[in-house]
Amino acid sequence: MALNEMTGALDTELVRKDFPLLARSVHDRPIVYLDSAASSLQPSAVLRAMEEYYEAHHANVHRGVYATAEEATNLYEGARVDVGRFIGAPDPGREVIFTKNATEAINLVARTWGATNLGAGDVVVLSEMEHHANIVPWLMLAESTGIELRYLPVDIDGRLDLTGLDAALDGAKLLSVTAMSNVLGTINPVGLLAERAHAAGALILVDGAQSVPHVTVDVRALDIDFLAFSAHKMLGPTGIGVLWSRANILEDLPPFLGGGGMILDVRLDRFLAAEPPQRFEAGTPPIAEAVGLGAAVRYLEATGMERIRAHELALSRYTLESLAERLGEDCVVFGPPAGEDRGGVFSLAFRDVHAHDLAQVLDQFAVCVRPGHHCAKPLMRKLGVSATARASLGLYNDRHDVDVLIEGLAEAGRLFA
Amino acid sequence: MADLEDLYREIILDHYRSPRNRGELPAPPAQRVEGFNPLCGDEIVLTLLIDDGRVSDIKIAGTGCSISQSSASLMSAAVKGKSLDEVRQLIGTFKSMMSIHEATLADEADGAPVEPEPVDVRSLGELAALQGVVKFPVRIKCATLSWNTLVQALNEAEPQLA
Ligand SMILES: Cc1ncc(COP(=O)(O)O)c(C=O)c1O
């Protein structure tokens, strides 16, 4: 395990050895990966698990009786248990649904729970800091059924303004919010939001795409109703995501997609849907990806989410301090100051250099950051910018990465002086 | 940083810092078209006045990176006062300068680099400064945004002229 023997803290030098892509060079410089909010890197353990699966166990799941088919099924279902344990799910075997990604998980809720529980005039509360994945499915539902959308505003520090929370929740059926902003890094008080939503008689869906990889998320402790996240942002592979919900909620929902694997019986004129979670997993699922996700979860658990959070919090402090110290007022970082309610996501504006140009210059330093609107156009409009350059941290980043980022920003400053 | 200097040539930075024909013409009578680059959020508003078969005035508003903004500025300067035929021709030449690279890339992937058809960049004047963009494939969309918006404006305007 990649820990410092003396302090028990994360030893980044050891951690970095686990991630093969970090050995790469780009433009003759060692890669500086600061784009984990878009997608994280994968440790060898994940890659090996997937390779082993294909080399020794591959078969379709849930149907065969031969040895490898049973092994594949056990591996797939084992991943479900791993994921459930990781998020504190009381009953993983019935509550953890594998989807394509967080986006599909949220769409699943909108199309099944939303379509059967919401009608014209019913209220869904979102926030201004949502990713398009947690806006567009509800806008689509609004178009088809006439539900009303309300938005919790974002204040000037980039936090949710909760002064009007109870008014917004009044009469609402669902509160659907991100646990951590992919633009501002803001970590929202999910426990409190859940309490207030429930008090108002609403359910709460949490978009955990950014939080699950970086802070401990326990669905029971938070007392939430739905949780959506993606494997590829939490050291796992692309192509698989998760929807968790309570068994008693899932039991009442109609299927999402139709096909094989989600039925108990099919006749020419009707079908009988399977129990959750199979009811929501039509067709051959992403088996190797589930195996990879299981390995990613075990890697995170072995490293310890508390340690990861402590490391990223310290590095966030260093990043914000260094940016301020070395670039001064030239560099604006959106979002709250470093602290317990902020994750390692930094949306930067540097003088009037456009984000696209910043990212281009940074690429010459082998620094990977993301320019653009980060799929959060309503929030960008609120911030009054069309694009930012976003640097985001993972457990494998260190101070040197931040230093190179700053070196690259300074060069952009010279070029566009 | 030789490559970057190829991309960010002096003319480009100059047009980025002091864009020509900035603003919006009252529409109508001007043709008004908005262009978006959904990948990076660049937005452009192009207003265009056609008079007697010529682009008598053009203005550009919106936000974007140095490449999209300078390309729009260079384009506005290049088409202003030109006949619609000349403008169409210029669009063709500019686009082939931008797409040469895509063709070269495809050939290289096959392992057999082929000399692309040469484009007469001299006819492009200052616009030739954007040639360096082709070495940065993701930025080609930035450079062509205003041009595609111009094409759309022309397509919308021409039936009204007939
Ligand atoms: C907050 C948030 N929600 C949802 C998503 C969507 O994730 P995916 O594209 O994996 O479905 C993202 C990813 O960018 C995100 O940051």
Side-chain angles (χ1 to χ4, degrees), chain A residues 27 29 352-358 360-361 363-365 371-373 377 381 386-387 411 415-417, chain B residues 1 3-5 7-8 13 16-17 36 38-43 63-67 136 138-139 142:
Chain A
H27 311 312
R29 299 182 65 128
D352 55 357
V353 185
H354 191 274
H356 229 151
D357 295 314
L358 284 179
Q360 190 79 60
V361 177
D363 173 61
Q364 294 291 312
F365 288 79
H373 53 62
K377 284 193 100 174
R381 287 205 183 92
S386 64
E411 172 65 20
L415 200 66
F416 284 89
Chain B
M1 306 271 144
D3 276 348
L4 274 187
E5 270 148 32
L7 180 66
Y8 296 124
L13 292 177
Y16 178 46
R17 289 188 193 112
F36 295 94
L39 288 179
C40 55
D42 285 3
E43 298 178 3
T63 57
C65 66
S66 61
I67 302 301
F136 297 82
V138 268
R139 304 304 292 278
C142 308

Side-chain angles (χ1 to χ4, degrees), chain B:
Chain B
M1 306 271 144
D3 276 348
L4 274 187
E5 270 148 32
D6 230 20
L7 180 66
Y8 296 124
R9 295 194 191 156
E10 209 36 63
I11 297 179
I12 292 181
L13 292 177
D14 173 51
H15 275 261
Y16 178 46
R17 289 188 193 112
S18 345
R20 324 292 197 263
N21 304 304
R22 190 83 194 148
E24 280 194 53
L25 297 167
Q31 199 71 30
R32 183 181 190 280
V33 176
E34 294 179 12
F36 295 94
N37 182 343
L39 288 179
C40 55
D42 285 3
E43 298 178 3
I44 177 172
V45 180
L46 184 151
T47 41
L48 177 80
L49 213 52
I50 297 174
D51 206 10
D52 202 15
R54 290 186 176 271
V55 174
S56 63
D57 205 358
I58 179 168
K59 287 211 184 292
I60 309 279
T63 57
C65 66
S66 61
I67 302 301
S68 78
Q69 295 298 291
S70 63
S71 181
S73 169
L74 283 157
M75 177 201 75
S76 69
V79 303
K80 197 164 162 178
K82 286 221 164 61
S83 74
L84 295 186
D85 281 347
E86 288 168 325
V87 170
R88 290 272 186 197
Q89 202 168 0
L90 188 64
I91 293 170
T93 315
F94 182 78
K95 285 211 165 173
S96 42
M97 178 173 85
M98 284 296 141
S99 55
I100 276 178
H101 185 73
E102 287 166 69
T104 330
L105 272 187
D107 292 335
E108 276 170 1
D110 290 345
V114 186
E115 267 314 300
E117 283 285 313
V119 170
D120 186 6
V121 292
R122 279 168 311 175
S123 67
L124 287 170
E126 281 200 327
L127 283 168
L130 285 162
Q131 231 179 336
V133 174
V134 296
K135 290 191 192 153
F136 297 82
V138 268
R139 304 304 292 278
I140 291 177
K141 281 207 169 64
C142 308
T144 51
L145 174 64
S146 55
W147 294 79
N148 291 333
T149 314
L150 174 64
V151 170
Q152 199 188 330
L154 292 178
N155 288 349
E156 288 178 16
E158 279 181 344
Q160 297 168 18
L161 299 172

